[in-house]
Amino acid sequence: MVDNCPFCAASLDGIAFFEAYGCLAIVNLAPIVLGHSLVVPKRHVSRLADLSEGECRDLFAATQRTALLLMTIYKADGIDISLQDGASAGQTVGHLHVHAIPRRPRDLERPGAWYDRLIDSHRQRRRTGAEMLAEAAMLRARRTELGL
Ligand SMILES: [Zn+2]
């Protein structure tokens, strides 16, 4: 728990749709495509190297489950997974997180265009709290329905 950390300071319960392996999957404030979500370790760590080997496995296991969930619900046939470790790599929030970006054919101008959008995500529209709560509620309901 760290003050001024957006993933520690506020309760993420409303925007979370999956919890396992000491991690939460949450909807994103500024998604670059439909369903773009984040997987966040519940313990505040800044860098990948701050995770124990077990926590590292847990983060990837949580990411795998989140990926399956998002691809099923959003009918995606691929997913981009990105972890920006350090400012030089584009990390802007000091709490380690993994981007899970479900992809559909021709959703962007080219398959690799997600990366530029992720780096420029400050240009994406910020969603309202109500929009984020609604998406998370839908994902929780669908996850239960599908048994995922
Ligand atoms: Zn934090």
Side-chain angles (χ1 to χ4, degrees), residues 16-36:
F17 57 89
F18 177 70
E19 178 175 357
Y21 306 103
C23 297
L24 286 176
I26 59 174
V27 300
N28 197 355
L29 176 62
I32 61 172
V33 294
L34 183 66
H36 173 192

Side-chain angles (χ1 to χ4, degrees), residues 47-134:
R47 303 294 299 265
L48 187 60
D50 298 334
L51 293 176
S52 70
E53 201 179 306
E55 287 173 324
C56 210
R57 279 195 292 267
D58 285 349
L59 177 59
F60 211 73
T63 301
Q64 182 192 38
R65 294 275 305 274
T66 301
L68 175 65
L69 185 65
L70 292 171
M71 289 175 64
T72 303
I73 293 172
Y74 286 109
K75 300 181 174 25
D77 65 355
I79 191 155
D80 284 299
I81 301 295
S82 180
L83 191 163
Q84 296 162 298
D85 187 28
S88 300
Q91 183 177 8
T92 57
V93 175
H95 185 133
L96 188 72
H97 56 283
V98 175
H99 293 264
I101 306 167
R103 300 297 307 276
R104 297 184 283 191
R106 294 170 300 284
D107 57 353
L108 297 175
E109 57 275 21
R110 59 191 160 77
W114 68 274
Y115 185 73
D116 290 338
R117 288 184 188 225
L118 187 64
I119 292 295
D120 291 335
S121 63
H122 59 277
R123 290 192 194 155
Q124 299 289 325
R125 183 180 78 83
R126 294 312 195 237
R127 297 195 297 172
T128 65
E131 287 174 300
M132 294 173 70
L133 291 171

